[in-house]
Amino acid sequence: MEVRDGLVEAAAVCDHRPGSRRFLGPRTPGGADTMTLRWGILGCARISRRGLIPGIEGSRTGELAAIASRDGAKARAWGAEFRIPRPHDSYEALVADPDLDAVYIPLPNELHAPWVKAAADAGKHVLCEKPLALDAAEAAAMVAHCRDRGVILMEAFMWRHQPRTRGLLGHLAGGLIGELRLVRASFSFPIEAGDWRLDPARGGGAVWDVGCYGVSTARLFAGTEPEGIRARAHFGPSGVDMSLAATLSFPGGVLASIDCSFEQPFRCAYELVGTRGVIEVPDAYLPPAASPALAHVRTIGSGSDSDAGTDRSRVLEFPAVDQYAEMVDAFAASVAAGRLLAPAEDGLAQMRALDAVLAAARD
């Protein structure tokens, strides 16, 4: 299965830099569908420290080879701390590094497009933090640019690559809770004053930063794109959405209720409701790496109407893994295939949905 709008065709899985035909070989003990990728990271962001750096280190397919900062001393300090061989004192130097295969971009949102395009121009495959772009038009240009240069572009929604996510997709397909009718998702936390995510010019706002998870969740489990969207928001002094609630409708009778906030206590959960039961998913996008990820299932028993006394409940357990490592290996599989492989996020379709949500909230 492949992701359509974000499809990137490649004639062969190889080093796309001009004048080079160095094929990336399979990594032992991986098979033909896994690749050894040498990674570079643009910027010393918090998400790199707690997410992708340990993810690359824990993956089967990744090797962290370089990191860049506009502060050369900071790049060298991170290089020493994480044993990264080549610290660069500019983003340009990392992108031009001939010994890299893939670049991770965790920069502020307004910098995604220029650096995705620069990395693609240098023949690098790109994993870009969410949201992919500032709007759908910018995302379309990024996707086209990477397609023209024969490199993979993937949006970094790590939660899609959890064993729990794959398992729940299987349970839904198997009819565990009947026909899916509702997806509910909440993600919120209080943000500090002065955070760049409060700046509208930089792509700030709750829906871009955390509401995007709920939209991605609804789209994944509905298996299609929304056909109707309504939303309301509380906008802060800077003009960005501080709290937002949206209702999405999908073909096939599936609804989604999504809320997000920069001014509410921490919440991170989603719920799948079907005609025969419900699945509640705690720690939805940030599951513990050292203990099993859980999902609570309740299915309708012999009762009817409001009688839940006969309902059957159980807990599903899924392997404890580093979801970032899973994402790194999934990215390598997409590179090997020459196209995005499900459940990778289709960044263009996601941005179209996010644009529609925010437009509805402002209407």
Side-chain angles (χ1 to χ4, degrees), residues 36 44 119 171 181-182 212 230 236 238 248 252 258 260 271 299:
T36 300
C44 298
H171 282 302
R181 285 291 175 261
L182 176 66
C212 59
R230 294 183 177 182
S238 70
L248 287 65
I258 295 162
C260 59
E271 183 180 57
T299 53

Side-chain angles (χ1 to χ4, degrees), residues 196-239:
W196 69 265
R197 289 170 292 183
L198 297 176
D199 185 346
R202 308 187 73 181
V207 72
W208 253 226
D209 193 61
V210 287
C212 59
Y213 284 91
V215 172
S216 179
T217 301
R219 292 176 46 254
L220 177 64
F221 287 107
T224 185
E225 300 303 323
E227 57 185 4
I229 295 176
R230 294 183 177 182
R232 288 293 180 265
H234 168 235
F235 294 94
S238 70

Side-chain angles (χ1 to χ4, degrees), residues 263-287:
E263 55 186 357
Q264 298 173 18
F266 178 77
R267 296 173 303 137
C268 181
Y270 66 82
E271 183 180 57
L272 307 172
V273 186
T275 55
R276 297 296 303 169
V278 58
I279 302 173
E280 298 174 349
V281 184
D283 304 314
Y285 311 115
L286 299 170

Side-chain angles (χ1 to χ4, degrees), residues 327-348:
M327 178 174 66
V328 168
D329 288 335
F331 183 86
S334 287
V335 170
R339 65 187 186 277
L340 288 180
L341 299 176
E345 178 57 89
D346 181 333
L348 178 52

Side-chain angles (χ1 to χ4, degrees), residues 300-357:
I300 295 175
S302 59
S304 61
D305 296 327
S306 60
D307 179 15
T310 61
D311 286 358
R312 297 181 293 270
S313 298
R314 62 184 173 121
V315 177
L316 302 176
E317 290 193 1
F318 300 91
V321 299
D322 184 331
Q323 62 182 342
Y324 289 93
E326 295 290 303
M327 178 174 66
V328 168
D329 288 335
F331 183 86
S334 287
V335 170
R339 65 187 186 277
L340 288 180
L341 299 176
E345 178 57 89
D346 181 333
L348 178 52
Q350 170 78 353
M351 284 307 309
R352 287 171 176 157
L354 291 180
D355 272 3
V357 168

